[in-house]
Amino acid sequence: MRPAWSIIVFTSLSGLGFGLLFWFGLGFVVINELIDVILFTVLGVMAVSIGLMSSLLHLGHPKRAWRALSQWRSSWLSREGVCAVATILCTFIYSGVWYIYGERPSALGLFIAILSLLTVWTTAMIYASLRTVLRWYHPLTPWVYLALSVCGGLITLNAWEQIIVGQSSLIEITTIGLVIAFGVKSIWWKRAGSQQSESTPETATGLGSLGQVDLLMSPHTEENWLQHEMGFVVARRHVYRLSQIAVALTFILPLALLWSGISWLIMLIPIVHFAGILIERWLFFAEAKHVVTLFYGERH
Amino acid sequence: MKSQPVINTQPKVSDEVRQTTCYMCACRCGINVHLKDGDIRYIEGNRDHPVNRGVLCAKGSAGIMQHNSPARLRAPLKRVGPRGSGQFEEISWVEALDTATQWLGDIRQKDPTKLAFFTGRDQSQALTGWWAQQYGTPNFAAHGGFCSVNMAAAGIYTLGGAFWEFGSPDWELTQLFMMFGVAEDHDSNPIKMGIGLLKDRGVRVISVNPVQTGYSAVADDWVSITPGTDGLLIQSLIYELLRTNQIDLDYLIRYTNAPWLVIDAPGTEKYGLFARNEDGDPQVLCRTTGQLISYRSQGIIPNLTDATVGPDGVRLVSVFSLMIEAWLSEEFAPQSTESRTGVPASRVKQLAAELAQVAFEQEIEIPIEWTDWKGEKQQSIKGRPVSMHAMRGISAHSNGFQTCRALHILQLLLGSVDVPGGFRFKPPYPKSVEMHPKPAGHANTIQPGQPLSGAPLGYPRSPDDLLIDDEGRPIRIDKAFSWDAPLSVHGLMHMVISNAHAGDPYSIDLLFMYMANMAWNSSMNSAGVIEMLTDIDPETGGYKIPKLIYSDAFASEMVAYADLVLPDTTYLERHDCISLLDRPICEPDAVADAIRWPVVELKRDVRGFQSVLLDLGARLGLPGMVDASGAPMYHDYADYIMHHQRKPGVGPLAGFRGTGNESGRGEPNAKQLDAYIENGGFWMQELPDAARYYKAQNADYQQFAVEMGFYDAPAPYVYQIYSEELQKFRLAAEGFGSKQPPEHLRERVHQSFTPLPEWYAPFEGAMVSESEFPIYALTQRPMAMYHSWGSQNPWLRQIHGHNPLFVSSEIARQHAITDGDWVWVRSYHGRIKVQAVVMHALNPNTVWTWNAIGKRKGAWQLDPDAPEATKGFLLNHLIHELLPERGDGLRWANSDPITGQAAWYDLKVSIEKADPDDPGVYPVFPTIEAPGNLFKPPSTVTYGVQFQIKKGERS
Amino acid sequence: MTMLPEEPSAKKLGLVIDLDICVGCHACVVNCKEWNTGSEGAPLSDVNAYGAQQTGAWLNRIHTFEVKTDSVAQVVHFPKSCLHCTDAPCVTVCPTGASYKRVDDGIVLVNEDHCIGCGLCAWACPYGAREMDPVEQVMKKCTLCVDRIYNENLPEEDRVPACVRTCPTGARAFGDLGDPESDVSQSVRDRGGFDLLPEQETSPVNKYLPPREKRHLVASDRSQPDSQTELQSPDVNGFWGWVDSTLTKLG
Ligand SMILES: Nc1nc2c(c(=O)[nH]1)N[C@H]1C(S)=C(S)[C@@H](COP(=O)(O)OP(=O)(O)OC[C@H]3O[C@@H](n4cnc5c(=O)[nH]c(N)nc54)[C@H](O)[C@@H]3O)O[C@H]1N2
Ligand SMILES: Nc1nc2c(c(=O)[nH]1)N[C@H]1C(S)=C(S)[C@@H](COP(=O)(O)OP(=O)(O)OC[C@H]3O[C@@H](n4cnc5c(=O)[nH]c(N)nc54)[C@H](O)[C@@H]3O)O[C@H]1N2
Ligand code: SF4
Ligand code: SF4
Ligand code: SF4
Ligand code: SF4
Ligand code: SF4
Ligand SMILES: [Mo]
């Protein structure tokens, strides 16, 4: 699949944002002054919104995007939209109440935390529900999204605490988060990546009973939209190198920095981690093969 | 669930439908052009039309895009830069016509042979040929010479008609269909419809072709043959049929010259000619009386087996016995031919067995009474349901003429020509060779300012009919009808430029061309031709070919080489007629012709070429084009179509003559075109039942043909298995007669003009080293693209934007070639670098590519970096118009020695992997500038947006 | 609307494509483009129309495959357009409801006025049957010529999809695959019609008919004629004997 930047940014940034809102809802965020509530809200909602906006860039008709909220009964993309909007609205109420009354409405907070997770889940399910992309169509896919989102939130909270109170209280739990996320992602890499596709050029054409089927002539000599969108191929060696970098940036380096003892470095971790996430997402798309490519001469 | 959107399932398709004839290729299908607000909304096939019965191919369906092509020429052009630069100035029609008239007029008064008028893919040859005749130049031909003249000529000389417009398989009744070397053919839609029908009926389809695509892919049996060896395969099939005694003797006796007696007196001037009686009738030996008797005599069974002695004491043998002698020889046994043809002996035997089985066990009998040419009443019509079709795969070889003849003889042995279930003629064919005119333009007949005595093209029947001067030198610029190519009945368009450039046989002053992209895909050795067109004569300082007028509708590669460009209309903007005098659209059971008419408004300053030609003719005062006062006879082509008469009562269109109710013959009708338009753009009349089969020998048909005006008196004949015409040329080579081939050609003529077809190895393969150039290289027609002119079409060029070289898996293995590799392909003449794709369903020794996809940078209003120019290529750069030099220092044309047919498919090459670090095609030519006045090509096309009423609502 | 109809429609209009007949001529492809570019929806536009990387939106495409069989390789031309799946994943993923499957006849359509051009439906379709219009940026797909098949402005015989009407070989048939008695259903039964990518569980309505078995030459008894007529070696005398006896029969 073509790794479109708008979609990479969308899933990474909104994932991070909802991770923040998750912790925010649970009340994990250290607040010095009440204005910090507003600040954090802005931070979380910004991440989410920029992400969502970026996804709009991907649309042919962004002005009609509101229609995408209508089909929550069947469409994960629609559900994602509904959940995202609900989370943002609730967050506004939550922080408004908190700011005005000086007290965190914890029940609503819990609700926001759940909504955030749900939103991330729905985002992931947009991909994980596509049978056509075997690599995504794996029960672990939404867990990866969840783990990375929650973990990204934690990492960012560390930095936030560092800034607001000059120290972080979340190093251990962040470590656990990172290890779990790394674990989930690693298992996904191994499992999702090694699935054997039932679909082959033979099943695609129904000609398998006659023999091995290979493409001789494409319907068009230059690349078309389908191939551009779904026929993206990335060289093996690039995949290997990039996944190493992704693991280093997303997990290893953050862990190292976390335990480096140099406290200001903690403020850098979100950046490093996020850079890793971007590469991870790039690979998530670039490595995924769409079944339609079977009609264009690929064999999965 | 919310209710679903209400959609308009009842849109009004168009304001008006206009019915005309497609010309996205030469198939001439009927089309319904739907117009909405003056624009073309949709083009579909005309269901009533005899050619396509409603279907439409990819090209036809892309007509809208062709009609709107930015490469359309907009006004007459005068060259201002050097030839080939593409620099032109727009001029008025007044200036254009004045210039052309002056050039043409001067030459006509001085020496009309200094004009070469060649008209490419011309569908108005009845007009253009007549124009050349009236002008007085013998130098006229259309594209047949480089296309498929072997097929056409072999058909006429043998049967009185070939495939395509001459006839077709009996799709309804045939039980076995065998196809040789067909990728697409002119009969593009009808063949597909036919194959579809056969498949529905479960009829077996066999395709003999080195490549398995298209028709071959759906065939029940694909026979992968070594290119150039079909003649051998066919003779092996004949051998098998003879060996197993499975031939239609009755048919051979009645309808062919098999029983005719041939003079067996080697070394005499009569050797191999027919034994004729005083009336000139060939004779047969009567089985009961033992007497020689005219073949026309009723009720005789000839003796086929015994030789006899003629009145003058010479030995006479039947054609049939010569056939047996020739073909029942071990040389043609399947096991003797398999190594050359690549078709295993067992398969040849099976094929022959199948042909025989279907022909003789599934005989058809239709209870229709008819009268044969001898006047004998026949109670029924017998048919042998084996049909054949062939095209350029056997035709475009230097042994193509004889291969095509062999195929016709195979059909005759099976008794399946013009019979139910077999191959059937389409009126006005069959017509024996005798009924065709001979070529006009003999040495003493060409006079300045005078018309030619007859049509420039025709069918020579003996060396006397050749157009050569007293020294035996060719009279025509293309050397047609000379010893180089005695039966070049379509001329040799592919030799015009190189001969004119070489001044051999002479130089010319003006090359006038229409509708042929000779600076590119229709030339062999395109790069060489480009040089010839631009080469300067050191003596005059001018071009070696001093003047060049060209008519095209689009900015093709060729336009850049013209001095004066006469821009044509597109097919939807002009009048045309698809005439019985030319290449008709008849069906086996019906006579038909058709028109084109301007179905859309013309918005450029261009004119229909035929109208321009008539205008020029009038300006030159050509007879028939001006009246007694010197005023133009016709104000345009439409006027000519309706009013011109070839002979009294017979004109370009056969329908709606006279008062509008007369067919075939009748006075001109000023409302004729309206009647055609009213009738859907065509006219058709069914044949009477008794006239449908055995047309050449059917008195009922002959009567019908005379009524229709095909000819003036019944002209029945029998098919010529043995060709006396060929033997006459052979005798000349043996030293008889006043016209004999020059020494350097004597042996070649003797070898090739065999009265019964013989196979010889294609010339190029025989001349180059087998180890150096072991591979055959072919092209095929892509079904969705028409030669060079499809690439300007934004829809079609998405399907074929460039062409790979398909390489057999064997060759790929030998040279470690994988898909996408760049390879060097070399012939004795040149080399190209192209991208390869490996293919398994391909003859092991063969590579092939799609024809004419490669484009010159800058042509056709395509970006110079369009894939057609950066990845696409022509095989033509490897093919030379001359064969390698021979021992005697002379070079033969790369053509069939009999007809001059260009031997495109004789090409032999070698292949070698190219340096992967240096990709890209070779050769690449400098970009040609497009004429400045063309439309700018838009980068996006959103055709149809104009039909959206509520456009604003979407966003 | 983005939900599939609760009950699959009884009427299932679709195409049956005969791989035994298709010669790969692309007539259906271009005629489809031609019909639909002038239809009510956005035109099927083309970009770089005269340049490099030319591409555009099409609703039907012909692939050509080579099948390596036990004997000779076989080339198969393979038309592909929307299969109007009963369990169409392209419909359920659509967030806007622009994609829907018609309750009445099962045709899968896109309401272009509602389409946001997210492309998700094309990702969900295993067959590559949806293409984004490069100019209008809405999703295009085969409409089964819904503006032809019911169109009373057209003569009755023309109320079939453009691709079906134009196909020169008759390799495409249109009909109701929900009706077991329809011609198309019957041919599917008779010829062993099959689904593409059945494991994707889309239950396509369109079916494909396989290339018929290449009937290799039946060893005909005529290739081994009985000893009376056969000439073991090309024996001219024997041949003449046969000619003589045949001529006697004729006379
Ligand atoms: N390698 C290889 N080369 C081949 C062949 C092959 O098999 N292999 N085949 C050969 C054969 S059989 C043929 S017939 C030739 C064909 O080759 P050409 O005769 O060159 O045919 P086209 O490319 O169709 O070009 C004809 C010209 O007609 C112009 N034209 C199109 N429509 C109109 C119109 O309405 N009016 C006018 N005035 N002009 C128009 C086009 O723009 C184009 O310039 O190619 C030959 N070349
Ligand atoms: N779509 C489309 N239709 C066209 C044209 C076009 O450009 N596009 N061009 C038109 C013109 S001008 C012409 S002349 C006709 C030509 O119509 P065809 O004769 O059908 O066309 P070619 O592509 O020349 O096909 C030649 C076939 O012969 C095979 N072949 C080559 N050598 C041999 C051989 O030695 N033996 C056998 N058995 N087969 C051999 C090739 O593999 C190929 O399949 O098509 C006409 N129709
Ligand atoms: S075969 Fe196609 S391009 Fe040729 S005339 Fe017919 S519809 Fe037109
Ligand atoms: S029009 Fe018919 S034969 Fe041609 S590609 Fe389409 S389905 Fe195949
Ligand atoms: S073929 Fe693709 S677009 Fe058509 S209904 Fe099935 S899934 Fe949807
Ligand atoms: S591209 Fe249009 S039709 Fe497809 S899923 Fe998105 S909104 Fe629906
Ligand atoms: S049914 Fe209509 S829209 Fe669908 S492929 Fe055929 S022509 Fe195109
Ligand atoms: Mo041709």
Side-chain angles (χ1 to χ4, degrees), chain A residues 244-255:
Chain A
Q244 282 181 321
I245 297 173
V247 167
L249 291 181
T250 318
F251 307 111
I252 314 291
L253 208 54
L255 277 175

Side-chain angles (χ1 to χ4, degrees), chain A residues 8 13 34 39 46 51 57 79 91-92 109 116 158 216 224-225 230 233 246 251 254 260 262 274 276 289:
Chain A
I8 292 172
L13 211 52
L34 269 184
L39 265 179
M46 276 253 288
L57 288 182
R79 288 172 190 158
T91 306
F92 283 146
S116 298
N158 264 308
L216 182 65
N224 76 344
W225 179 80
M230 295 165 226
V233 267
F251 307 111
S260 66
I262 309 165
F274 191 70
K289 286 183 177 161

Side-chain angles (χ1 to χ4, degrees), chain B residues 1 3-5 7-13 32 41-45 47 54-58 61-62 64 70 189 192-193 196 199-200 202-204 212-215 217-222 239 242-247 249-250 253 287 301-302 304-305 320-321 324 328 330 347 349-351 353-354 356-357 360-361 783-784 792 794-799 801 839-841 861-863 865-868 937-945 947-948 951 954, chain C residues 1 3-6 19-27 29-31 33-56 58 61 66 68 72-75 77 100-104 109 111-113 135-136 146-148 150-154 157-158 160 162 165-169 212-223 225 229-236 239-240 242-244 246-248 250-251:
Chain B
M1 182 176 295
S3 67
Q4 298 195 308
I7 53 170
N8 184 4
T9 58
Q10 312 282 321
K12 201 168 146 246
V13 177
N32 304 336
R41 158 65 182 92
Y42 183 53
I43 301 177
E44 70 191 350
R47 283 196 190 266
V55 309
L56 200 68
C57 81
S61 300
I64 296 176
N189 279 328
K192 295 187 188 76
M193 290 153 64
K199 286 274 177 171
D200 272 351
V203 167
R204 213 174 136 70
Q212 193 205 102
T213 51
Y215 307 152
V218 300
D220 298 282
D221 197 2
W222 168 58
Y239 169 95
L242 293 177
R243 181 182 70 82
T244 55
N245 310 337
Q246 301 182 94
I247 57 173
L249 263 190
D250 186 36
I253 291 171
R287 221 173 114 82
I301 298 286
L304 297 177
T305 50
F320 190 74
S321 62
I324 305 314
L328 204 52
E330 215 39 82
R347 294 200 73 199
K349 290 184 180 191
Q350 282 181 311
L351 284 171
E354 268 215 347
Q357 187 173 43
F360 300 114
E361 289 178 11
M783 292 179 180
Q792 65 187 308
W795 292 350
L796 300 180
R797 70 184 290 265
Q798 288 179 53
I799 299 171
M839 179 170 178
H840 292 72
Q861 286 291 73
L862 298 180
D863 277 2
D865 63 348
E868 287 88 342
S939 81
T940 56
V941 168
T942 54
Y943 192 84
V945 78
F947 304 130
Q948 294 180 323
K951 185 74 185 84
R954 180 171 299 108
Chain C
M1 222 145 46
M3 305 270 289
L4 290 163
E6 270 140 40
L19 298 178
D20 189 54
I21 304 187
C22 174
V23 294
C25 69
H26 296 262
V29 172
V30 185
N31 206 273
K33 172 116 174 169
E34 190 204 13
W35 172 260
N36 287 290
T37 198
S39 300
E40 305 247 309
L44 293 165
S45 56
D46 305 293
V47 294
N48 304 324
Y50 300 94
Q53 280 140 32
Q54 66 270 32
T55 183
W58 300 71
R61 305 268 192 182
E66 210 176 20
K68 276 110 202 168
V72 273
Q74 187 181 331
V75 171
H77 301 289
Y100 64 105
K101 185 167 175 72
R102 278 161 56 99
V103 179
D104 300 339
L109 290 179
N111 175 354
E112 292 179 9
D113 293 337
V135 170
E136 201 58 34
V146 68
D147 52 353
R148 289 183 63 93
Y150 299 112
N151 193 339
E152 290 176 9
N153 291 313
L154 291 172
E157 55 182 354
D158 283 347
V160 291
R165 189 194 185 286
T166 211
C167 171
T169 62
R212 268 174 270 231
E213 204 189 318
K214 296 285 167 194
R215 282 165 302 155
H216 282 295
L217 295 166
V218 209
S220 153
D221 48 355
R222 278 188 174 266
S223 70
T229 48
E230 180 174 33
L231 308 165
Q232 283 314 327
S233 63
D235 169 358
V236 177
F239 184 82
W240 287 131
W242 173 79
V243 170
D244 264 334
T246 312
L247 286 177
T248 311
L250 286 179

Side-chain angles (χ1 to χ4, degrees), chain C residues 90 93-96 98-99 110 114-122 130 132 139:
Chain C
C90 56
V93 297
C94 175
T96 63
S99 273
V110 172
H114 287 191
C115 173
I116 55 175
C118 65
L120 193 56
C121 50
R130 291 175 166 245
M132 187 77 78
M139 194 51 74

